[in-house]
Amino acid sequence: YNLTVLISGNGSNLQALIDACASSSLQNARITHVISNRKAAYGLERAAKASIPTTYHNLVSYKKKHPQTEEGTTAARIAYDADLAKLILALSPRPDVIVCAGWMHILTPDFLNPIASEGIPVINLHPALPGEFAGAGAIEKAWEAGKEGKIKRTGVMIHEVIAEVDAGDAIVTEEVPLKEGESLDDLEEKIHKVEHGLIVEGTRQTLAKIKK
Ligand code: GRF
């Protein structure tokens, strides 16, 4: 099976997938392409070290081609998402699954529809439980809520990507208990460890549903 992985930053979850493909946990899968929306994403280095082809898909160049107005920005984002789909559908081999691993760009129907019409599942890692803390900064929001005694646990999920942010059906989730007085860094470290296991498990379960 072929995976295309979308990243924006450190790429620790990409690294978990790279390591899993090299071991038994994802033995029948390989990452054939990594795409980042940020030039400085360390994940691009991780991919290069693993001899995985990479693409930097740059929103700035799209914004430059459109007027700096609201309509122009919307048109730039539509073109960006449509071209991201074209780029992926033109890959050879084509991916069986697209994995968003620390990907910080909201994917619109201009990306999702062409991909869905080719039957390619898109899955995303989100460091919160279904229905909780959607969007950026989820770990910090959970930590704050824990400090206020509102919740005793948060968690991580791998879910199917739909147009609504972090709202697709969960594929796999794992709870993470909140500890009294722990720092945000401590919680982030705990969460990232869970992410690294869940991204592999969520990808494995998605592949298992694909009959090839
Ligand atoms: C994860 O919590 C991810 O959800 C967020 O950044 C964190 C680490 O991502 N976007 P990465 O895989 O280390 O880039």
Side-chain angles (χ1 to χ4, degrees), residues 29-102:
R30 58 186 181 145
I31 301 168
T32 45
H33 210 88
V34 168
I35 299 170
S36 174
N37 67 330
R38 297 215 184 117
K39 195 180 185 117
Y42 182 63
L44 287 170
E45 305 245 330
R46 295 176 189 269
K49 281 202 188 88
S51 310
I52 299 169
T54 62
T55 301
Y56 165 47
H57 190 48
N58 169 16
L59 180 60
V60 173
S61 60
Y62 285 80
K63 287 191 167 172
K64 282 200 182 111
K65 278 184 239 151
H66 290 82
Q68 305 298 317
T69 60
E70 204 173 313
E71 297 77 20
T73 304
T74 304
R77 288 189 68 97
I78 289 169
Y80 177 90
D81 275 20
D83 281 357
L84 180 59
K86 285 191 193 98
L87 185 162
I88 290 172
L89 294 177
L91 290 176
S92 168
R94 200 178 252 198
D96 296 294
V97 178
I98 297 166
V99 186
C100 299

Side-chain angles (χ1 to χ4, degrees), residues 35-201:
I35 299 170
S36 174
N37 67 330
R38 297 215 184 117
K39 195 180 185 117
Y42 182 63
L44 287 170
E45 305 245 330
R46 295 176 189 269
K49 281 202 188 88
S51 310
I52 299 169
T54 62
T55 301
Y56 165 47
H57 190 48
N58 169 16
L59 180 60
V60 173
S61 60
Y62 285 80
K63 287 191 167 172
K64 282 200 182 111
K65 278 184 239 151
H66 290 82
Q68 305 298 317
T69 60
E70 204 173 313
E71 297 77 20
T73 304
T74 304
R77 288 189 68 97
I78 289 169
Y80 177 90
D81 275 20
D83 281 357
L84 180 59
K86 285 191 193 98
L87 185 162
I88 290 172
L89 294 177
L91 290 176
S92 168
R94 200 178 252 198
D96 296 294
V97 178
I98 297 166
V99 186
C100 299
W103 171 257
M104 302 301 276
H105 170 91
I106 294 173
L107 292 168
T108 64
D110 297 295
F111 170 80
L112 296 169
N113 292 347
I115 295 294
S117 63
E118 296 296 323
I120 301 173
V122 185
I123 66 176
N124 178 51
L125 160 78
H126 183 61
L129 292 174
E132 296 184 7
F133 311 119
I139 302 172
E140 181 151 12
K141 289 175 191 162
W143 182 68
E144 295 290 351
K147 269 199 322 182
E148 289 151 23
K150 287 183 188 150
I151 52 172
K152 296 243 174 301
R153 58 95 191 96
T154 182
V156 180
M157 68 169 164
I158 307 295
H159 65 92
E160 292 169 18
V161 176
I162 60 172
E164 192 187 341
V165 177
D166 298 327
D169 291 344
I171 296 161
V172 62
T173 66
E174 182 170 333
E175 290 198 354
V176 176
L178 293 168
K179 208 155 104 313
E180 185 86 23
E182 72 187 333
S183 70
L184 175 57
D185 283 354
D186 292 340
L187 179 59
E188 284 193 347
E189 204 176 313
K190 270 193 315 188
I191 293 249
H192 291 329
K193 280 198 183 67
V194 171
E195 287 175 344
H196 301 158
L198 227 58
I199 192 96
V200 173
E201 180 55 22

